Amino acid sequence: MRVPEACRYLGIGRSTLYVLISRDEIEIIKMGSATLVLTASLRSLVERLRRPADQVPGTAI
């Protein structure tokens, strides 16, 4: 997907997305002048950042 779509998908700004790309946390491909963000890479990032509910402060019983 294109950069603006990836930003909406993650709920982050363009500059934050480019920081994640520069840290190799999100994989991109270039097609001509277009920068395309791999959907699988976005999903992988979300999975890595997720925490089980019992690890989120204030949710443990």
Side-chain angles (χ1 to χ4, degrees), residues 51-61:
R51 292 191 293 176
D54 61 342
Q55 292 182 4
V56 176
T59 60
I61 297 176

Side-chain angles (χ1 to χ4, degrees), residues 1-2 6 9-10 18 24 26 31 36 42 44 46 50 57 60:
M1 68 179 69
R2 294 186 181 272
Y9 179 84
L10 293 175
Y18 280 109
D24 292 327
I26 294 177
M31 291 189 69
L36 301 175
L42 296 177
S44 175
V46 170
R50 284 182 66 185

Side-chain angles (χ1 to χ4, degrees), residues 8-52:
R8 282 192 298 276
Y9 179 84
L10 293 175
I12 61 174
R14 186 180 200 91
S15 60
T16 302
L17 181 71
Y18 280 109
V19 167
L20 293 170
I21 291 168
S22 71
R23 292 180 182 169
D24 292 327
E25 294 188 47
I26 294 177
E27 190 176 355
I28 61 165
I29 58 172
K30 294 290 282 186
M31 291 189 69
S33 62
T35 299
L36 301 175
V37 181
L38 299 180
T39 306
S41 181
L42 296 177
R43 289 184 183 135
S44 175
L45 175 69
V46 170
E47 285 301 315
R48 287 193 310 269
L49 295 175
R50 284 182 66 185
R51 292 191 293 176

